[in-house]
Amino acid sequence: MSNIIRGTMLLTGASFLSKLLGMLYVIPFNALVGETGGALFQFGYIPYSIFISISTVGVPLAVSKFVSKYNSVGDYETGMRMFKTGMIMMAVTGLLSFLALFFSAELLANQMITTENSGSISAEDVTFVIRMVSVALIVIPAMSIVRGFFQGNNSMGPTAVSQIVESIVRVGFILGVTFVIIKLLDGSTTIAIGFATFSAFIAALASCIVLYIYWRKRRPHFAKQRQQQTFHNNIPTKDLVAELFRYAGPFVLVGLAIPLYQLVDSVTFERAMVDSGRRDVWEFSFGVISNYGHKLVIIPITLATGLSLAIIPALTKSYTQKNTELLTKQVNQTLQIVMVLVIPAIIGLSLLSDEAYGSLFGGMDQLDISGSLLGLYAPVALFFALYSVTSAILQSVNQQNYAVISLLVGLVVKILFNIQLIHMFGAKGAIFGTGLAAIIAVALNLYRIKKSINFSFKQTFKRTVLILIFVLFMAITIWITKLIGGQFIPYEESRTGATIMLAIAVLTGGTVYMWFAYHSTLLERVLGNRIRFLDRIFRR
């Protein structure tokens, strides 16, 4: 079990740092371009995210599973052959995806902005931003398959380090180029946003350099493995490709879950808000939900992202070797890690949504919109996280097709109800639609896991109830902290006050939850002995 924890923590740490940088940079970015600029940024990034998944065709994660499968039986040559074939495929699909997104940008923009003079964002602005970000598609698919190959060899370091470098370069470029265009050149927000999205290409190049350095160092090790190999499958290349695509197809759709939900919002939100008489707030609300608020909500999901990458090789190996007992333990541990860390994070964020949004982005006079939207959106993160992890579990036990079915069912629900919900509840309706879709998708995945490997959720359910009890104590602590602190700190009116209250409430609430979780041995049972460093803080 130590390998899955080590790999999980490494990838989760890198993903968390990347997401943290992605959250922190939007503070000065918001000060430069505002909610409207953030909305324009997302209008360009949402289709780009979808094309990224399509251009890779799920191959990087599929390669991770493929390489792990054949390495587990000592056939290293087959994994290397697939890696080389996949690199060629990614070079081709990356170029084709770039051309497709670049030349379809105007069509996509006209679907997103359908009403003339509905706000300050025009279809021409969205077209420009989409074309600027599309260049990254040339590089990222080939880069991501290298990460998948390393992960399939249980080497998470290259992915972790390259992710961090990519994030640092991307954030630095975004802030630098936006500041120069807006402040020094007195340029337009549209030009600044366009070049900000171009940062994806610059950051991908930096990541490629890191991965190349790791490849040079690890190449002798891979060569030695192949020389010592005694067993060969001798599978024809066309059969390898066919097997890869059986894995890859479901991976691409599962990776599209959040971007697809956001795409539905991007093509329905503006028209539904305008038609329902909310023309004056649609840009602000969309910026909160799709960009700034989403940056905060995505932080708890980081754990699930790391898990999805780290558990695939380990679970695949257990399933291939028919080690049912170990497989059951790994699935239980995976689900419980999500619960023990994500539930308190999203409940805390929901309770402190006004303070979180106000301290990071300001706009204290509009927290009745931004804070309430963030508070509703935060709990949805749990179901995003569970969908990511349960889909990875299904893929690891050759039930990947069912993960696709659950996604499609959820997506149909989102499409059918989104406009009606927005008409009924305003911007909150988009959140309700996403939450309903994600809950249904997760329920279907959990049902299939139970049926496919005869899995019992009894242990996970019992520990989740315990987690909820501890979270209740945490919530009471946060409520008392705000009640008492409000007598001395004007956190509802001042950005500084909101920041102070946020810090105090997070510290007190988080400490209470960690104390109960530690002394009940919950953390040790779920996370293992590595949690013992807390002995210095919470002495039994």
Side-chain angles (χ1 to χ4, degrees):
M1 297 300 288
S2 60
N3 286 337
I4 185 174
I5 291 291
R6 188 183 303 114
T8 296
M9 292 305 175
L10 185 60
L11 284 180
T12 299
S15 296
F16 180 80
L17 181 57
S18 298
K19 295 296 187 299
L20 183 62
L21 287 172
M23 182 194 73
L24 293 177
Y25 95 84
V26 298
I27 300 173
F29 187 67
N30 172 266
L32 289 168
V33 302
E35 269 77 15
T36 298
L40 177 58
F41 188 92
Q42 282 303 105
F43 274 125
Y45 240 83
I46 291 171
Y48 160 77
S49 300
I50 293 172
F51 269 77
I52 277 292
S53 294
I54 294 174
S55 65
T56 57
V57 201
V59 169
L61 287 178
V63 165
S64 172
K65 176 178 178 179
F66 190 99
V67 171
S68 175
K69 172 184 175 180
Y70 285 96
N71 282 3
S72 67
V73 295
D75 186 359
Y76 302 101
E77 176 66 29
T78 298
M80 183 61 70
R81 286 174 56 205
M82 179 47 62
F83 171 62
K84 293 177 179 178
T85 302
M87 283 290 289
I88 297 173
M89 292 166 52
M90 291 301 93
V92 174
T93 57
L95 178 60
L96 293 177
S97 295
F98 157 68
L99 294 173
L101 182 58
F102 186 90
F103 288 107
S104 66
E106 184 175 358
L107 176 63
L108 292 171
N110 287 324
Q111 294 299 313
M112 296 176 184
I113 308 297
T114 60
T115 306
E116 291 186 9
N117 302 318
S118 64
S120 56
I121 298 176
S122 68
E124 290 76 16
D125 295 335
V126 177
T127 299
F128 172 72
V129 172
I130 292 176
R131 286 177 173 167
M132 288 294 287
V133 75
S134 66
V135 181
L137 290 166
I138 300 174
V139 178
I140 290 180
M143 173 199 72
S144 59
I145 200 172
V146 179
R147 289 177 177 174
F149 179 75
F150 278 121
Q151 288 161 204
N153 281 279
N154 289 318
S155 178
M156 308 301 174
T159 295
V161 175
S162 65
Q163 277 183 341
I164 293 172
V165 171
E166 183 180 6
S167 296
I168 292 173
V169 172
R170 178 174 173 267
V171 167
F173 188 86
I174 287 176
L175 295 180
V177 74
T178 304
F179 179 82
V180 168
I181 292 174
I182 297 290
K183 297 297 184 181
L184 300 184
L185 302 180
D186 196 26
S188 70
T189 299
T190 299
I191 298 296
I193 296 298
F195 277 93
T197 58
F198 187 72
S199 65
F201 174 71
I202 303 298
L205 291 180
S207 178
C208 287
I209 294 173
V210 173
L211 291 171
Y212 177 73
I213 293 172
Y214 269 104
W215 176 259
R216 288 286 300 271
K217 291 181 178 179
R218 304 285 174 85
R219 186 163 55 183
H221 170 69
F222 296 141
K224 185 177 179 180
Q225 282 183 329
R226 294 164 66 189
Q227 291 173 357
Q228 295 176 345
Q229 178 172 322
T230 57
F231 174 76
H232 296 271
N233 275 291
N234 294 322
I235 302 174
T237 301
K238 65 176 183 179
D239 293 340
L240 288 179
V241 173
E243 181 176 357
L244 182 67
F245 273 100
R246 285 200 301 272
Y247 298 153
F251 273 108
V252 61
L253 288 176
V254 169
L256 281 171
I258 295 177
L260 283 175
Y261 293 150
Q262 289 184 316
L263 180 64
V264 174
D265 283 335
S266 69
V267 298
T268 60
F269 194 87
E270 178 253 1
R271 70 184 75 186
M273 290 287 283
V274 171
D275 290 345
S276 60
R278 301 177 176 94
R279 179 189 298 265
D280 56 333
V281 296
W282 84 262
E283 289 180 344
F284 180 86
S285 300
F286 187 78
V288 171
I289 295 174
S290 67
N291 194 8
Y292 300 118
H294 187 73
K295 295 290 185 184
L296 295 174
V297 169
I298 206 73
I299 294 293
I301 307 174
T302 303
L303 172 66
T305 303
L307 279 170
S308 297
L309 296 175
I311 66 176
I312 290 174
L315 292 179
T316 300
K317 182 176 181 180
S318 299
Y319 180 76
T320 302
Q321 296 177 344
K322 302 185 186 306
N323 192 336
T324 305
E325 182 178 356
L326 179 58
L327 179 64
T328 300
K329 288 182 179 179
Q330 289 172 334
V331 172
N332 255 317
Q333 186 181 31
T334 299
L335 294 174
Q336 290 168 26
I337 289 175
V338 174
M339 295 299 188
V340 81
L341 296 181
V342 175
I343 290 179
I346 58 102
I347 296 300
L349 180 58
S350 185
L351 292 173
L352 296 167
S353 58
D354 285 358
E355 293 76 15
Y357 200 95
S359 64
L360 293 174
F361 309 121
M364 305 302 294
D365 58 332
Q366 294 181 296
L367 286 180
D368 57 325
I369 298 177
S370 56
S372 62
L373 289 176
L374 176 59
L376 282 173
Y377 197 14
V380 178
L382 174 62
F383 300 102
F384 283 158
L386 284 173
Y387 178 76
S388 177
V389 171
T390 54
S391 295
I393 293 171
L394 287 173
Q395 291 160 354
S396 299
V397 297
N398 279 335
Q399 296 292 318
Q400 52 264 36
N401 291 337
Y402 202 87
V404 175
I405 294 173
S406 65
L407 169 63
L408 294 178
V409 171
L411 184 61
V412 169
V413 170
K414 173 74 172 173
I415 293 171
L416 290 178
F417 293 100
N418 208 54
I419 291 178
Q420 290 87 343
L421 289 170
I422 293 174
H423 274 273
M424 292 172 62
F425 302 104
K428 295 177 182 178
I431 298 174
F432 294 151
T434 299
L436 179 62
I439 289 171
I440 291 173
V442 169
L444 291 173
N445 279 1
L446 291 174
Y447 173 79
R448 190 59 180 180
I449 290 172
K450 177 178 176 61
K451 290 294 184 180
S452 60
I453 60 174
N454 195 28
F455 181 77
S456 172
F457 291 98
K458 184 177 181 179
Q459 185 189 83
T460 297
F461 178 77
K462 288 169 62 177
R463 289 184 177 171
T464 300
V465 171
L466 188 61
I467 291 166
L468 291 174
I469 293 173
F470 297 158
V471 167
L472 177 61
F473 295 146
M474 179 195 77
I476 294 172
T477 302
I478 291 174
W479 179 76
I480 294 174
T481 301
K482 291 175 66 175
L483 184 65
I484 297 175
Q487 306 300 316
F488 311 98
I489 305 170
Y491 67 90
E492 294 180 341
E493 304 166 3
S494 164
R495 185 172 183 177
T496 301
T499 303
I500 295 172
M501 179 54 68
L502 178 66
I504 295 173
V506 169
L507 180 62
T508 55
T511 299
V512 167
Y513 174 78
M514 293 294 287
W515 189 89
F516 278 106
Y518 176 79
H519 280 280
S520 66
T521 70
L522 174 66
L523 290 180
E524 187 173 343
R525 291 175 184 274
V526 175
L527 299 175
N529 291 330
R530 284 177 174 77
I531 208 67
R532 295 302 295 273
F533 73 90
L534 291 176
D535 286 344
R536 304 172 187 174
I537 305 173
F538 306 114
R539 296 188 180 277
R540 291 175 181 165

